[in-house]
Amino acid sequence: MTIVEAPTSTVPLGGPSLPQERRLATSIPGPKSQALQARKAQAVSAGVGVTLPVYIVAAGGGVLVDVDGNSLIDLGSGIAVTGVGNSAPQVVEAVAAQLAQFTHTCFTVAPYDSYIEVAETLNRLTPGDHAKRSALFNSGAEAVENAVKIARHYTGKQAVVAFDHAYHGRTTLTMGLTAKNQPYKNGFGPFAAELYRAPMSYPYRDGGLDGVVAAGRAISQIEKQIGAENLAAVIIEPIQGEGGFIVPAPGFLPTLVDWCRANRVVFIADEVQTGFARTGDMFASDHEGIVPDLMVMAKGIAGGLPLSAVTGRAQIMDSPQVGGIGGTYGGNPLACAAALATMAAYESENLVGRAREIGAILTGRLNAIRAADKRVGDVRGRGAMIAIELVDAVTGEPDAALTGRVVAAAHAQGVILLTCGTYGNVVRFLPPLSIPDALLVEGLQVVQAALAAA
Ligand SMILES: Cc1ncc(COP(=O)(O)O)c(C=O)c1O
């Protein structure tokens, strides 16, 4: 059993009043978590994986507390969801008030105003001052599916282009857009028709190819292999998430947007992982000033309640026939109440600024580690969405085994850390924006020690 002395500090965004400390009461996972993991194996489909089998009983600020009394530093935010913090008080209050009023009517049966207010807020926050409309769904993948449906209906065309290293979800349509076979696609085919893949801009692995040139390469392939006259939409993550936090070279995204606009192709930005202050802008699209025709959002939108959205140009969003878009739970009143409180907090608490501060801490420390350790091939990302790519120090080849050892050692020391990347060699940092600086720094020190020992 390891007992760790850690500094405590206050939580800027509130949350349950949990000590903001790393505290190991047992080995990780502890005995109660291990017992629950054994029950999971008997009750839950084996296809549902778990990154770190510590079973959580409370969370807030920058920590998750498990059933064995361990307090773990959260560098994952439940995969970029709890930007505003876990159980942020504004969100709890708003959801509790809604819970006491009504839990569900189905917006498409008997509507309520919070759905409209979420749509109005999204129409205001997303890039561009043109007329917009929004529609609400439950998950990122469901919103991606609907963006594709809407783009096809509007253009009367069918083909959709996604990119190398893309991740858009695990439903039947979105699996086809997602690039990586294992674990997301293997054995789940056949995939939907009329989905195509184009080369991405990946500066660390394409020799620093200029962004405009990389876009030209993708466009040329699209024109030769598909034809703009058949293409309904291009969908892209402005910074790729699961693919490895790949930031395309400057000029790549604007060139694609211009080509789409000139060819009546709907440009869809999948901001499911990058959205809502995460990258140090409200949306990653803001960084290069691109204005997507449709934007897909989820994760950070509602402080942990399930909600997703498509927002876009009014003439495109209004194209489908009445009843063509919707679902039983999309825009559930509890999720809408959470979203309104969450989006208000992003603005009132200047969480864009907080993401930039977190980014400065992350990149400063990670670049210092890189300068001393050639196995850290790249440090990249923006704001509170930063990653390191781990490679063989001599060959530069991706080192997934090293990555696995580093992450396992960090987990054992009470730091929740996630990997990603086509080659399984990227460690990603996605702390909640409510994490105190001291805890973030301590988490990075644990990762640094894990790397040194690996
Ligand atoms: C960019 C992107 N698109 C879509 C999805 C799918 O979202 P969900 O898991 O909510 O279906 C994800 C999830 O990680 C994502 O990162």
Side-chain angles (χ1 to χ4, degrees):
M1 185 170 90
T2 324
I3 306 291
V4 176
E5 295 288 326
T8 55
S9 54
T10 53
V11 187
L13 284 169
S17 51
L18 299 171
Q20 293 300 298
E21 63 184 4
R22 181 170 64 104
R23 186 183 65 244
L24 298 185
T26 67
S27 57
I28 302 286
K32 290 181 181 162
S33 280
Q34 288 183 34
L36 284 164
Q37 186 68 359
R39 267 174 64 194
K40 172 193 175 278
Q42 296 305 314
V44 180
S45 162
V48 181
V50 168
T51 301
L52 175 55
V54 287
Y55 284 76
I56 302 305
V57 294
V63 297
L64 305 180
V65 176
D66 78 7
V67 68
D68 290 291
N70 298 298
S71 174
L72 300 104
I73 299 178
D74 181 12
L75 298 185
S77 302
I79 322 187
V81 170
T82 53
V84 70
N86 248 299
S87 295
Q90 314 89 312
V91 177
V92 172
E93 202 179 309
V95 175
Q98 179 58 50
L99 198 50
Q101 293 301 312
F102 62 97
T103 51
H104 177 80
T105 59
C106 187
F107 185 77
T108 61
V109 174
Y112 37 88
D113 65 355
S114 57
Y115 187 118
I116 300 171
E117 199 177 337
V118 170
E120 288 167 345
T121 307
L122 293 172
N123 296 349
R124 176 173 62 79
L125 290 179
T126 50
D129 52 14
H130 49 279
K132 294 180 207 155
R133 305 277 189 270
S134 291
L136 305 182
F137 308 97
N138 301 288
S139 69
E142 189 189 359
V144 169
E145 296 235 1
N146 277 281
V148 169
K149 280 170 63 176
I150 293 165
R152 283 178 169 160
H153 196 277
Y154 173 72
T155 60
K157 302 189 272 184
Q158 295 185 353
V160 178
V161 162
F163 286 81
D164 286 334
H165 313 290
Y167 183 87
H168 297 291
R170 275 179 270 203
T171 57
T172 298
L173 177 78
T174 58
M175 264 193 304
L177 298 170
T178 290
K180 198 172 172 179
N181 177 47
Q182 281 286 12
Y184 307 125
K185 301 166 73 167
N186 195 48
F188 297 134
F191 304 113
E194 288 302 319
L195 307 180
Y196 299 87
R197 197 163 306 287
M200 181 62 186
S201 163
Y202 187 167
Y204 179 64
R205 296 210 166 266
D206 65 15
L209 190 64
D210 176 84
V212 176
V213 175
R217 179 179 67 175
I219 290 164
S220 163
Q221 182 171 311
I222 291 168
E223 287 177 336
K224 288 197 183 72
Q225 297 184 7
I226 306 158
E229 63 275 29
N230 299 309
L231 186 58
V234 164
I235 181 164
I236 190 164
E237 302 151 82
I239 299 176
Q240 288 183 320
E242 305 303 305
F245 283 23
I246 300 166
V247 186
F252 184 73
L253 294 171
T255 305
L256 287 177
V257 171
D258 289 348
W259 181 84
C260 284
R261 207 133 297 156
N263 288 280
R264 206 166 175 273
V265 173
V266 175
F267 182 90
I268 305 173
D270 180 345
E271 293 245 15
V272 166
Q273 193 155 157
T274 49
F276 298 102
R278 174 59 52 188
T279 63
D281 284 294
M282 190 57 81
F283 295 99
S285 295
D286 293 325
H287 184 77
E288 277 202 88
I290 60 165
V291 179
D293 298 314
L294 300 182
M295 188 180 278
V296 182
M297 294 154 284
K299 291 192 186 285
I301 192 172
L305 273 83
L307 187 73
S308 63
V310 180
T311 296
R313 294 183 187 281
Q315 71 271 27
I316 303 176
M317 291 295 292
D318 282 341
S319 171
Q321 63 278 11
V322 173
I325 299 297
T328 306
Y329 292 115
N332 170 273
L334 300 172
C336 284
L340 291 173
T342 301
M343 292 190 287
Y346 285 126
E347 293 193 282
S348 66
E349 308 290 330
N350 184 23
L351 293 185
V352 163
R354 178 62 188 146
R356 290 183 185 194
E357 286 172 9
I358 288 174
I361 295 172
L362 284 168
T363 50
R365 293 197 169 243
L366 293 170
N367 275 316
I369 297 171
R370 180 178 178 228
D373 190 339
K374 288 198 163 32
R375 297 174 302 167
V376 181
D378 197 18
V379 177
R380 58 175 180 253
R382 277 195 208 116
M385 182 174 181
I386 303 291
I388 53 175
E389 181 157 347
L390 298 181
V391 298
D392 183 286
V394 178
T395 64
E397 287 298 308
D399 197 338
L402 171 65
T403 308
R405 290 198 299 279
V406 170
V407 169
H411 289 172
Q413 287 302 313
V415 175
I416 308 259
L417 196 61
L418 304 175
T419 61
C420 61
T422 296
Y423 313 107
N425 68 324
V426 178
V427 177
R428 55 174 153 171
F429 298 87
L430 288 167
L433 306 178
S434 54
I435 194 170
D437 285 357
L439 210 56
L440 176 62
V441 169
E442 188 183 339
L444 285 168
Q445 287 165 343
V446 169
V447 175
Q448 183 170 12
L451 183 62

